[in-house]
Amino acid sequence: DDDHPVVPPKLSIRTETVTVGEGEGNTTVELVLDRAAATDLTVEYDLVGTATSPADYTITGTEGEVTIPAGQLTASIQIAIVSDAIYEGDETIEVSITDVDNPDVVITNDDEAVVTITEDDQQISASFEITTLEVSESDGILQINVALSQDAPANVTLNYELSGSARDSVTAKAADPDLPADYAIRGGSPGQLQIAAG
């Protein structure tokens, strides 16, 4: 009656931030009501962020939807983290409630959570095997080796710059076609180096 109005249940996400290691397997985002509903509630949610499904994570059950059973106060979005051997840096999954199938349920302002997946793979670095070289004009072809700190898990493209007083063929031709170049890059594109997986 009007003297005892029905207070609608309020729906929120329990924790705003969640951190999980890439190799830890699983994590959850918990939805919570402040009072139980008399019927099952279907809650719709969005997933955005720098992590992508299914490359970085998968959702157990129907992605984008979770059910809070009648008489219950909570339900969890189950997230399985994919562990790979590729360095990607820390990534995020942003979870936000978008709708609930009962108009009497109020979605609060605590309707978002950010899951951070911390990287467990070591970043690969590239370096020159020798940093100072001397060569005479009569030596012909000079090979400069670049090494990775570990085997490349996939094909790697490295970008590099050419500078100094010696003129490479591309720069020389663009600046003044009448002046000869001092050297030319053989194989591939000047400024790029390809290292195959493995």
Side-chain angles (χ1 to χ4, degrees), residues 74-91:
T74 62
S76 294
I77 301 169
Q78 305 284 340
I79 304 173
I81 307 301
V82 176
S83 181
D84 55 34
I86 301 173
Y87 179 86
E88 299 164 304
D90 292 350
E91 298 179 290

Side-chain angles (χ1 to χ4, degrees), residues 19-20 22 50-51 87-92 115-120:
T19 301
V20 58
E22 185 180 290
T50 58
Y87 179 86
E88 299 164 304
D90 292 350
E91 298 179 290
T92 60
V115 178
T116 299
I117 305 171
T118 57
E119 180 61 71
D120 65 355

Side-chain angles (χ1 to χ4, degrees), residues 33 35-42 66-76:
L33 294 167
R35 66 186 68 239
T39 60
D40 290 354
L41 298 180
T42 299
V66 67
T67 299
I68 303 178
Q72 301 295 312
L73 293 175
T74 62
S76 294

Side-chain angles (χ1 to χ4, degrees), residues 45-51 57 92-96 112-116:
Y45 61 89
D46 273 346
L47 297 166
V48 295
T50 58
Y57 67 91
T92 60
I93 308 168
E94 299 173 23
V95 184
S96 59
E112 297 181 352
V114 177
V115 178
T116 299

Side-chain angles (χ1 to χ4, degrees), residues 93-115:
I93 308 168
E94 299 173 23
V95 184
S96 59
I97 299 172
T98 57
D99 198 12
V100 59
D101 66 349
N102 186 329
D104 294 328
V105 176
V106 176
I107 300 174
T108 72
N109 291 331
D110 297 324
D111 61 347
E112 297 181 352
V114 177
V115 178

Side-chain angles (χ1 to χ4, degrees), residues 3-48:
D3 294 332
H4 298 88
V6 175
V7 178
K10 294 180 180 179
L11 175 65
S12 60
I13 291 179
R14 186 183 297 278
T15 306
E16 292 183 359
T17 58
V18 178
T19 301
V20 58
E22 185 180 290
E24 292 181 19
N26 301 290
T27 191
T28 61
V29 172
E30 191 174 32
L31 309 182
V32 60
L33 294 167
D34 67 340
R35 66 186 68 239
T39 60
D40 290 354
L41 298 180
T42 299
V43 181
E44 296 179 4
Y45 61 89
D46 273 346
L47 297 166
V48 295

